[in-house]
Amino acid sequence: MATAGKVIKCRAAVAWEPNAPLMMEEIEVAPPQEGEIRIKVVATGVCHTDLYHLFEGKDKRGFPTVLGHEGAGVVESVGPGVTDFKPGDKVIPLFLSQCGECKFCKCPKTNMCDCSWSSNYHDIMSDPTTRFTCRGQPILQFMGTSTFSEYTVINQIAVAKIVDDAPLDRVCLLGCGIATGYGAAVNTAGVTPGSVCAVFGLGAVGLAAVMGCKNAGASHIFAVDINEQIFEKAKIFGATDFLNPKAYNKPISEVLSEMTSGGVDFSLECVGNTEVMRTALESCIKGWGVSVLVGWTDVKDFSAKPIQLISGKTWKGSLFGGFKSKDSVPNLVCDYMTGKIKLDEFITHKMSLEQVNDAINLMKTGDCIRCILNISK
Ligand code: NAD
Ligand code: ZN
């Protein structure tokens, strides 16, 4: 490639500061260093976690940055020591790495790779080391991925190689939201055949959790959201019952308890709201109910009555659906290609990188499940 070893100047949407629109800029992307891969981003989704960092996160040091962590692209060049990737390979960047060497990677119980940016720089949601500059300033790489850019540089431990015929403008969704919700149900909750489930929040993550419950054989899947417009969509993924908490004058956990003789077997919180997290736990049946936190928030602590756990419920959390990222994403791509999991049904909008602020505004309205930004051909 003519660009290998050289700085690439390209378009990117830069978030200079919190609570402000992203700005289209020309940025410089340095060549990949030891163990790194430079990727031409083809398509990316916009996820609520991008909005969280821009609008809700309480630590404001994570700027200026290039957001985006749900992308797919093609390898442009590789740095020294990279042997598993070559220019032209189709890849999905991973916000959660899998180094394969740390004690967490070696343990089958978890996907919490110790080499991920999140191990040390959770507060600013990026590693302070970056290959991006703009107007003479370093620009952070949000979640180590920064897919709202035509090019990005990522460590090989955070890149998954996928099959050549995968449609990048759809499988990009497996870089975050869909893998997250789906895995939270099938891996973290461990939904069992015949069980009764409730999913709180029906954005892409929640709808993917519904799909996971369905594929795991749940007999009833309660879909809970304050936006009733989404219920038709939830049916497509397998939801059987629909509840709007605002339509009741008692807590939705009580409603669920009455409808299920004591509570659901599995509940998943896919909103990122500590009150909903508590409600999801309270909606579980005593003795064996399992509630999983998927929604992302660092703004508030949660609380619950100890009896909720003393009575035999389990409360757990899930990052990236519990999937070991590098191993699992290529398999999920194949699951999509063979029809085992849906992706197309999540996509409600398609836009260009220049329209990223419109996509962000759409995410806030609830009319959008996933908007795909086409970054380059
Ligand atoms: P989204 O904004 O598209 O969807 C959220 C849904 O929750 C919306 O349909 C909204 O109407 C609904 N909602 C809001 N308040 C509610 C309430 N009180 N009760 C019931 N429903 C309510 O978001 P998304 O992209 O699907 O992401 C969902 C959450 O998952 C976010 O918090 C995101 O940051 C988080 N996330 C976590 C991980 C992880 O690895 N744990 C990965 C990706 C995203
Ligand atoms: Zn995400």
Side-chain angles (χ1 to χ4, degrees):
M1 291 250 173
T3 45
K6 297 179 189 153
V7 171
I8 292 181
K9 289 188 177 181
C10 70
R11 294 175 310 133
V14 176
W16 288 103
E17 53 182 346
N19 293 308
L22 311 189
M23 303 274 285
M24 285 307 300
E25 302 278 2
E26 184 181 79
I27 66 163
E28 296 88 36
V29 181
Q33 297 187 9
E34 178 83 28
E36 294 177 346
I37 300 173
R38 191 159 58 183
I39 297 165
K40 180 179 180 180
V41 181
V42 172
T44 182
V46 180
C47 169
H48 191 101
T49 312
D50 300 308
L51 276 73
Y52 172 82
H53 188 69
L54 191 59
F55 301 114
E56 299 160 42
K58 62 182 174 189
D59 195 312
K60 303 301 183 197
R61 291 171 306 153
F63 294 85
T65 188
V66 174
L67 299 171
H69 61 282
E70 202 173 75
V74 177
V75 174
E76 175 268 340
S77 63
V78 300
V82 175
T83 53
D84 294 348
F85 295 85
K86 60 181 187 314
D89 282 348
K90 284 192 175 175
V91 291
I92 292 183
L94 305 165
F95 73 82
L96 177 63
S97 57
Q98 185 187 351
C99 74
E101 302 292 327
C102 73
K103 69 176 175 186
F104 299 93
C105 279
K106 285 188 171 150
C107 172
K109 291 185 200 170
T110 181
N111 62 351
M112 294 294 295
C113 175
D114 216 14
C115 299
S116 183
W117 56 270
S118 57
S119 299
N120 295 309
Y121 306 108
H122 191 212
D123 296 348
I124 60 168
M125 295 189 84
S126 44
D127 189 315
T129 313
T130 172
R131 305 282 167 253
F132 291 173
T133 51
C134 180
R135 303 185 199 210
Q137 270 192 63
I139 306 292
L140 293 171
Q141 291 184 242
F142 178 67
M143 294 179 94
T145 51
S146 286
T147 55
F148 295 172
S149 169
E150 287 179 292
Y151 287 87
T152 188
V153 177
I154 304 180
N155 195 295
Q156 60 182 344
I157 63 171
V159 181
K161 182 149 101 181
I162 60 171
V163 288
D164 279 337
D165 51 346
L168 297 179
D169 60 351
R170 279 163 269 167
V171 298
C172 59
L173 294 178
L174 292 168
C176 181
I178 312 310
T180 293
Y182 185 73
V186 301
N187 300 327
T188 316
V191 170
T192 47
S195 59
V196 177
C197 302
V199 176
F200 291 77
L202 304 170
V205 174
L207 291 172
V210 169
M211 177 167 76
C213 295
K214 160 98 179 162
N215 282 14
S219 64
H220 286 83
I221 304 167
F222 288 87
V224 185
D225 202 298
I226 52 176
N227 172 14
E228 293 189 14
Q229 281 171 16
I230 211 81
F231 292 160
E232 273 306 307
K233 197 76 172 181
K235 256 185 213 166
I236 299 172
F237 294 99
T240 56
D241 300 84
F242 305 89
L243 296 174
N244 176 359
K246 286 193 171 164
Y248 294 87
N249 53 15
K250 56 181 162 186
I252 205 68
S253 52
E254 272 180 41
V255 176
L256 273 165
S257 177
E258 285 162 15
M259 292 175 85
T260 59
S261 322
V264 301
D265 300 308
F266 300 96
S267 70
L268 297 112
E269 199 277 357
C270 304
V271 180
N273 174 318
T274 52
E275 287 303 315
V276 181
M277 292 173 182
R278 177 180 186 146
T279 303
L281 175 68
E282 289 171 353
S283 302
C284 283
I285 192 160
K286 70 182 179 199
W288 61 77
V290 175
S291 189
V292 179
L293 310 187
V294 190
W296 183 287
T297 182
D298 202 15
V299 181
K300 276 194 196 163
D301 293 347
F302 53 59
S303 60
K305 290 230 163 36
I307 186 66
Q308 289 290 327
L309 300 184
I310 293 168
S311 65
K313 300 182 189 180
T314 303
W315 211 5
K316 54 207 296 208
S318 183
L319 186 69
F320 198 56
F323 284 115
K324 287 197 186 273
S325 58
K326 230 173 133 85
D327 289 348
S328 304
V329 167
N331 296 335
L332 288 167
V333 169
C334 293
D335 287 347
Y336 164 68
M337 311 276 284
T338 56
K340 188 177 164 198
I341 59 172
K342 299 180 198 294
L343 290 181
D344 303 7
E345 290 78 358
F346 290 97
I347 301 168
T348 50
H349 299 80
K350 288 191 176 183
M351 292 188 184
S352 65
L353 179 57
E354 279 70 19
Q355 293 169 295
V356 61
N357 290 308
D358 296 335
I360 286 171
N361 288 332
L362 258 179
M363 278 294 281
K364 291 197 234 166
T365 64
D367 293 333
C368 172
I369 295 166
R370 273 298 188 261
C371 177
I372 303 294
L373 303 177
N374 286 305
I375 309 288
S376 46
K377 293 247 179 318

